[in-house]
Amino acid sequence: MSDDNDSEFEAETATLPLDGWHRGKGARMVEFAGYWMPVQYEGIVAEHLWTRAHAGLFDVSHMGQLEVSGEAAEAALEAVLPIDLSTLKPGRQRYSLLLDESGGVLDDLMVTNAAHRFYLVVNGATKWDDIAHLREHLPDEITLTHLEDDALLALQGPEAARALARLGLDPVNDGWPRVEEMVFMQAGPFSWNGVPLRVSRSGYTGEDGYEISVPAARVETLAEALCAQPEVQPIGLGARDSLRLEAGLPLYGHDLSREISPIEAGLTFGINKRRRGEGGFAGADRIQRELAEGTARKSVGLTLEGRLPAREGAEVYAGDAKVGRVTSGGFSPTLGHPIAMAIVDSAHSAEGTPLVVDVRGKRLSAAVAPMPFVPHNYFRGDR
Amino acid sequence: MPRYFTDEHEWIDVEGDTATVGITDYAQGQLGDIVFVELPRVGSEVARGKDAAVVESVKAASDVYAPITGEVTEANGALEDDPALVNSSPEDQGWFFKLTIANKSELDGLMDAAAYKSFCDSL
């Protein structure tokens, strides 16, 4: 097929339910994952620092929301994900990975036990491939529903709980915690002025906060109500990326891909311990081998001297020898210097190892640093 | 002294054979928070339309092209310590570099302030 024919099938950039709301708030819109999305409102640094100090509202409706149901849904999902669902109680959420047969990462995702069904949130750029993969690999008697009529908001920051509590969401299930009582990775159905919401205490910034699924028809009302709280400002994709980088959270398609295994990426925790031993999931051979023998390369954090950021693709050296490449990088607004994630030869992956990053011929001094770069601030019920 | 503008959102102040080059307020607004500016070396030749500098914002790296050909005589050292000057004072203290103009005819066809303003309004 020629390129010309291909372009005929290229989908037009879609708009999110909040498109007009974003533009009304002065957002600069960019194309991302097939959608017009707000990259910034006031400015990336201001939005980033606001989220670390207060609470930021992110529109992440481009992400895929899926529901898996059916009598044998648990076993069917365990056949496609290296997860142990027998220990995932109703109202709890867990991080997992969609792997191909050779152990490459097709996507990373969140799985919630929504009582008699499982609720999945997958990346926006990969959702159509994920859906195709799941339809192919899940048995016919399992129902996979793409919740296309639901929008998704993230409210993130140390003041997120205070702001959300003020909206007065009611837990649908008797005896379930209120939003401010939920702990990290807890999730459940709520009702807000009659609007059904799915709320989880999780996110992608390293801060305390929530992800809130809401019918698209009501998302603007909810976004307005949240932004009416003095703690809350709308935050764009630009700050979402710099926040997640500081939090040491990988971005699919950059720090994680079919070419990088979860063990190389340091995501062993995304593969359940029992399943690691038993195998019986896609890519298990490679995962088990890498766990037993170690990997030739590893994902690491890098801190760079000076102010010049190293971006994805920049080559990493130990002396004159090339030992890896940057998978994502940028300037850390919180720390005031550049940071990066890189995949490097394991021999050079120990904390404190001095390395050099080449940016347009400039050799920048760097050192392997522990991640997260900025400490996580999750609410685990102990404060 | 006359100030010229390019459709790549640079400004050029001309004083005799010397030109001072920077990026416009519109450009800095598009780039966002600037964290680093890589300037050409003093003594190097820059050619019209070719890379002369790199601006790193939080978001991305962007090339800045030389609006005219010439030899670089000075780079703005203040940007090393405070790259955000490009955001706060793009058309004054946040200048990038000075050069000796090789060919004054290259200034023909550049925009004046009024033409540049209507160019930006049309974007």
Side-chain angles (χ1 to χ4, degrees):
Chain A
M1 196 186 290
S2 77
D3 287 351
D4 284 343
N5 282 337
D6 273 348
S7 64
E8 283 178 33
F9 297 105
E10 248 173 50
E12 260 185 52
T13 306
T15 53
L16 298 173
L18 279 180
D19 189 84
W21 186 83
H22 294 308
R23 292 173 196 271
K25 295 269 178 199
R28 184 177 306 158
M29 305 296 279
V30 297
E31 219 177 322
F32 182 81
Y35 294 89
W36 289 110
M37 296 199 59
V39 66
Q40 66 171 71
Y41 304 82
E42 187 189 346
I44 293 173
V45 171
E47 292 167 31
H48 180 113
L49 298 175
W50 179 271
T51 305
R52 288 265 182 258
H54 306 287
L57 183 70
F58 303 75
D59 182 9
V60 289
S61 302
H62 65 301
M63 299 187 79
Q65 300 181 70
L66 311 175
E67 209 170 59
V68 177
S69 58
E71 223 165 277
E74 189 172 311
L77 262 186
E78 283 197 1
V80 293
L81 299 173
I83 193 169
D84 181 359
L85 293 172
S86 69
T87 60
L88 186 69
K89 295 178 195 156
R92 292 284 171 166
Q93 188 176 46
R94 198 168 283 168
Y95 178 79
S96 190
L97 296 158
L98 196 60
L99 303 177
D100 66 17
E101 287 301 326
S102 53
V105 183
L106 295 170
D107 203 0
D108 60 345
L109 69 157
M110 294 296 244
V111 180
T112 302
N113 183 338
H116 310 301
R117 56 191 62 214
F118 293 94
Y119 167 67
L120 278 51
V121 178
V122 303
N123 278 299
T126 44
K127 65 182 175 186
W128 300 110
D129 288 341
D130 292 353
I131 290 167
H133 179 90
L134 290 169
R135 288 208 194 286
E136 188 187 333
H137 289 90
L138 289 173
D140 289 345
E141 59 273 22
I142 298 298
T143 307
L144 175 71
T145 311
H146 184 194
L147 306 171
E148 284 187 273
D149 296 330
D150 288 343
L152 190 65
L153 299 178
L155 183 70
Q156 299 280 295
E159 295 176 353
R162 194 194 308 168
L164 188 61
R166 216 176 285 126
L167 262 58
L169 280 58
D170 292 315
V172 168
N173 300 327
D174 286 341
W176 281 43
R178 305 191 64 80
V179 289
E180 64 274 25
E181 297 162 344
M182 295 167 76
V183 295
F184 183 58
M185 299 296 259
Q186 202 162 15
F190 286 81
S191 173
W192 175 63
N193 298 336
V195 181
L197 306 176
R198 295 171 191 263
V199 180
S200 68
R201 197 151 192 175
S202 57
Y204 193 49
T205 59
E207 294 296 332
D208 184 20
Y210 302 88
E211 292 193 340
I212 308 166
S213 175
V214 50
R218 305 305 297 274
V219 64
E220 188 163 333
T221 318
L222 179 60
E224 272 301 313
L226 287 168
C227 281
Q229 308 306 314
E231 297 90 352
V232 182
Q233 291 282 329
I235 309 294
L237 275 186
R240 181 171 163 83
D241 189 52
S242 52
L243 287 158
R244 71 89 197 166
L245 181 62
E246 286 185 347
L249 300 171
L251 174 61
Y252 188 80
H254 304 265
D255 312 300
L256 266 186
S257 69
R258 293 189 82 151
E259 281 68 50
I260 301 176
S261 85
I263 310 305
E264 291 175 323
L267 296 175
T268 307
F269 73 90
I271 301 166
N272 170 258
K273 204 170 170 185
R274 171 176 68 82
R275 305 293 309 278
R276 275 180 234 158
E278 290 176 5
F281 56 89
D285 290 352
R286 177 177 175 186
I287 303 295
Q288 290 177 322
R289 188 180 68 242
E290 290 186 351
L291 282 168
E293 299 172 7
T295 58
R297 48 181 203 161
K298 279 183 183 168
S299 290
V300 295
L302 296 177
T303 54
L304 284 82
E305 285 178 19
R307 292 186 60 91
L308 175 56
R311 312 282 179 184
E312 182 177 5
E315 294 182 339
V316 179
Y317 292 84
D320 291 332
K322 190 186 160 195
V323 296
R325 66 182 167 83
V326 170
T327 54
S328 53
F331 191 84
S332 161
T334 304
L335 302 172
H337 61 72
I339 55 174
M341 291 187 203
I343 187 148
V344 301
D345 294 347
S346 297
H348 301 281
S349 64
E351 263 177 52
T353 305
L355 294 170
V356 169
V357 184
D358 183 294
V359 176
R360 299 185 295 273
K362 284 196 185 347
R363 293 175 69 79
L364 309 177
S365 295
V368 175
M371 291 194 286
F373 297 101
V374 172
H376 291 163
N377 183 32
Y378 301 137
F379 180 66
R380 300 183 191 272
D382 48 9
R383 67 172 148 91
Chain B
M1 103 184 111
R3 174 169 285 199
Y4 300 90
F5 294 86
T6 73
D7 56 9
E8 295 284 351
H9 305 285
E10 293 124 349
W11 55 264
I12 309 149
D13 277 347
V14 177
E15 198 164 18
D17 288 337
T18 301
T20 305
V21 176
I23 66 168
T24 65
D25 187 50
Y26 178 89
Q28 71 77 21
Q30 290 294 309
L31 292 167
D33 303 300
I34 289 164
V35 297
F36 188 87
V37 183
E38 192 174 314
L39 294 169
R41 273 182 306 106
V42 170
S44 66
E45 297 279 343
V46 293
R48 180 164 79 152
K50 303 289 185 197
D51 298 349
V54 182
V55 178
E56 296 268 3
S57 70
V58 172
K59 192 171 50 181
S62 310
D63 289 321
V64 174
Y65 306 113
I68 53 174
T69 303
E71 185 183 325
V72 176
T73 56
E74 195 180 342
N76 187 358
L79 297 185
E80 214 167 296
D81 296 328
D82 189 8
L85 274 178
V86 180
N87 291 122
S88 58
S89 181
E91 302 194 16
D92 183 19
Q93 292 176 63
W95 60 276
F96 276 31
F97 57 88
K98 295 179 195 284
L99 53 74
T100 309
I101 302 169
N103 181 357
K104 278 212 163 176
S105 69
E106 285 184 353
L107 297 169
D108 299 344
L110 296 181
M111 289 175 270
D112 64 12
Y116 178 68
K117 185 180 179 306
S118 49
F119 170 70
C120 287
D121 290 345
S122 73
L123 295 175

